[in-house]
Amino acid sequence: MSIFQKIKGDLHFRELFKGGSIALFFRLLSALASYVLIYVLAKVYGAEGVGIFTTSWTILMISAVVAKLGFDTSIVKFLAVSLGQRSYNKLRIIYKKGLLFVFLSSVIASIIVFFLSDYFVTIFYTNVKEAWLLKIVAVSIIPFAILSYNSESLKGLKKI
């Protein structure tokens, strides 16, 4: 049996194949865009600019992962189960509670990074004037964590 016959015959496999193909396409596009961004940063700002960007991005990513407390991973399962049971009220309750926890923990993480930004600058950067960059990163934690939570929620609803 060829892969095309399997795709036509199995509804779940077709859905998986379609969703996976779309996700793969956007992952590849994202990797290409990241490469182009780093290349442009290196050409325009040099190695120091790339270092500042990657350090700031790493602080944002680590802070957002901590702020999400694993809710972004678990929401996929809980929403999928609720959707399968057609329990839409339960689905809304689970989503809202998770969103509230992610919001509150991301506010706390944002405050911590904001007030520790001067300390982080002395560790990671040679020039102290870059502290404003980490203050922007601190403020960005909240929308980034919520965006990631919502993205995973859409996966749980089979809206890849």
Side-chain angles (χ1 to χ4, degrees):
M1 176 184 283
S2 75
I3 192 163
F4 296 112
Q5 290 172 336
K6 191 166 188 159
I7 291 171
K8 282 185 177 182
D10 188 356
L11 178 67
H12 296 294
F13 186 74
R14 183 173 47 208
E15 179 184 348
L16 180 67
F17 187 78
K18 180 183 174 190
S21 299
I22 292 169
L24 175 66
F25 172 75
F26 282 110
R27 291 263 176 154
L28 290 173
L29 191 64
S30 174
L32 179 65
S34 296
Y35 177 77
V36 170
L37 175 66
I38 296 296
Y39 181 79
V40 169
L41 281 174
K43 286 291 185 185
V44 174
Y45 296 105
E48 184 179 351
V50 172
I52 290 170
F53 172 77
T54 54
T55 304
S56 299
W57 183 254
T58 302
I59 291 170
L60 173 65
M61 297 301 276
I62 291 170
S63 302
V65 166
V66 170
K68 291 182 288 185
L69 299 171
F71 281 98
D72 60 327
T73 305
S74 61
I75 195 70
V76 175
K77 177 188 177 215
F78 291 122
L79 290 183
V81 168
S82 297
L83 185 67
Q85 296 172 345
R86 299 187 194 280
S87 178
Y88 302 113
N89 191 37
K90 184 179 175 185
L91 191 137
R92 276 191 220 79
I93 291 169
I94 291 170
Y95 171 78
K96 287 181 181 179
K97 282 184 179 180
L99 184 62
L100 178 64
F101 280 112
V102 168
F103 175 74
L104 293 176
S105 61
S106 64
V107 167
I108 292 168
S110 180
I111 290 169
I112 291 170
V113 171
F114 188 86
F115 286 113
L116 290 178
S117 62
D118 292 330
Y119 175 71
F120 286 146
V121 166
T122 60
I123 294 173
F124 297 118
Y125 304 128
T126 57
N127 197 343
V128 181
K129 68 181 181 182
E130 276 93 12
W132 66 275
L133 292 170
L134 290 183
K135 292 190 188 320
I136 292 173
V137 167
V139 173
S140 301
I141 293 169
I142 299 167
F144 190 79
I146 291 172
L147 179 71
S148 177
Y149 177 78
N150 285 329
S151 172
E152 295 299 315
S153 298
L154 289 173
K155 284 182 188 177
L157 297 172
K158 292 187 175 182
K159 305 277 187 199
I160 297 176

